[in-house]
Amino acid sequence: MKAPGEIQAVIDAAYARYRTLEAGKNADYIPALADVDPHLFGIALVTADGRVYTAGDVKTEVSIQSISKVFTMAQVIQEQGLDSIATRIGVDATGMRFNSLVAVEAVRGVVGAGEPEMNALVNPGAISATSMVSGGSADEIWAKIIGFHSDCAGRALTVLEDVYRSESASNHRNQAIGALMLAYGYVKSDWPRAVDLYTRQCSIGVNTGDLAMMAATLAFAGRNPASAMQVLDHAKVPGVLAVMATAGLYDDSGKWLYYTGLPAKSGVCGGIIAVSPGKFGIAVVSPPLDEAGNSVRAQRAITDISNALGGNPYAVGPA
Ligand code: DON
């Protein structure tokens, strides 16, 4: 890695380059997301020593949205092993939108009869992953989910209640997905509880610094580099990163990987986390999204910063 001053200069340069970029649009299918300031723009990067480099607004909280899918999937893998997610949900891209019901129909009937063709980073698979977290009651399961997210972030996170209420009142599509997931065996019981817990996890409030620390926990073998807590077994991390690489940026996951090589996950909040294994975890929050649903400024800033810092794990210098 470069010296601290050089890392900061790279981050400052990306911030300055994209601060005035006006492109994309806030998500508005969850009413509360349309109200978030579209000019919010924060960049945070965490290195192996737990040092945090920032530019812009890294303190304002947004709802974590789909970035939570990574951590609930990781929690299930931690509890139940790599095969749990692969055999119950699948680890392939659907090639369809993240909230597609057609994707559920397309793979119906394969559970138990072969490898299911879904993944835990789209809504159907994520609702299924949430339903897999063990616990005797909704409260017990919720305490585990928010606890795992908090351990990765290194502070006690809480739910943004206005977002939770807004999404709960408008998530009929996810309810339909939950019911279908029960019908086809991906969710074993109580789909309304799974959808509610999923909605809660998407409403967890995080700032850019939290997201960068969560990414760094994955970058450094499951150990939060600031708190030194081993949150996820190191042997379980590569599987989590593989699903992020395959499906983290929706239908643009291939393009993203082509230009960055980084496992990443975006959310409709405008956040993206990305992981350079052994080098850094990075997060950017900027709400306006492109057609594929990914933050415009976040994609550009992370690409520039990672490439300037040699973050692409596929890129080795000439022999
Ligand atoms: O369920 C939803 O639609 C949102 N809570 C999250 C969507 C999101 O961020 C994109 N998903 N991969």
Side-chain angles (χ1 to χ4, degrees):
M1 280 300 284
K2 289 182 186 290
E6 291 175 286
I7 298 174
Q8 187 62 50
V10 164
I11 290 173
D12 289 342
Y15 181 75
R17 197 171 305 132
Y18 297 120
R19 193 173 52 85
T20 52
L21 174 66
E22 300 285 343
K25 189 171 160 299
N26 281 30
D28 57 8
Y29 75 99
I30 299 170
L33 297 185
D35 299 335
V36 179
D37 177 6
H39 294 108
L40 172 64
F41 183 29
I43 303 175
L45 180 145
V46 179
T47 47
D49 51 6
R51 187 161 170 169
V52 186
Y53 299 83
T54 69
D57 180 347
V58 296
K59 291 281 177 236
T60 297
E61 287 189 356
V62 294
S63 52
I64 188 169
Q65 295 301 335
S66 282
I67 299 170
S68 65
K69 291 168 171 151
V70 171
F71 297 93
T72 300
M73 172 180 72
Q75 183 165 26
V76 173
I77 290 174
Q78 175 70 6
E79 269 189 7
Q80 298 164 36
L82 275 173
D83 287 348
S84 61
I85 288 285
T87 56
R88 173 95 156 256
I89 299 171
V91 290
D92 275 314
T94 65
M96 294 182 208
R97 286 191 65 79
F98 65 87
N99 57 3
S100 174
L101 287 124
V102 173
V104 182
E105 286 296 330
V107 299
R108 69 176 285 200
V110 298
V111 174
E115 298 294 323
E117 302 281 326
M118 179 69 67
N119 73 78
L121 301 185
V122 291
N123 293 12
I127 290 166
S128 175
T130 303
S131 80
M132 291 169 73
V133 177
S134 65
S137 66
D139 285 350
E140 196 183 315
I141 296 166
W142 175 245
K144 287 172 66 177
I145 291 173
I146 189 118
F148 191 87
H149 282 71
S150 297
D151 289 342
C152 291
R155 75 174 179 106
L157 302 172
T158 55
V159 163
L160 300 179
E161 291 295 336
D162 58 330
V163 178
Y164 173 58
R165 276 195 298 274
S166 178
E167 184 162 346
S168 296
S170 58
N171 68 350
H172 305 104
R173 200 179 171 100
N174 283 342
Q175 293 181 43
I177 289 171
L180 268 186
M181 294 307 271
L182 177 76
Y184 299 157
Y186 292 89
V187 170
K188 296 297 179 200
S189 68
D190 205 350
W191 67 262
R193 181 171 88 174
V195 172
D196 180 58
L197 286 166
Y198 163 81
T199 308
R200 268 200 249 176
Q201 86 181 32
C202 288
S203 309
I204 293 173
V206 284
N207 62 40
T208 312
D210 297 324
L211 289 173
M213 196 59 76
M214 296 170 89
T217 299
L218 298 173
F220 299 110
R223 178 177 174 273
N224 180 315
S227 71
M229 180 190 271
Q230 189 72 42
V231 186
L232 179 64
D233 296 345
H234 74 91
K236 310 238 167 86
V237 173
V240 173
L241 297 181
V243 186
M244 292 170 72
T246 306
L249 264 74
Y250 317 115
D251 244 11
D252 277 355
S253 297
K255 286 190 206 79
W256 170 262
L257 202 62
Y258 188 80
Y259 286 108
T260 67
L262 300 181
K265 181 72 195 94
S266 65
V268 289
C269 54
I272 298 182
I273 61 168
V275 175
S276 178
K279 292 192 172 154
F280 58 79
I282 187 169
V284 174
V285 172
S286 168
L289 311 177
D290 65 13
E291 286 295 314
N294 300 310
S295 167
V296 176
R297 289 193 196 106
Q299 290 178 83
R300 303 259 188 117
I302 294 174
T303 302
D304 286 11
I305 292 167
S306 177
N307 289 339
L309 298 179
N312 188 330
Y314 298 120
V316 291

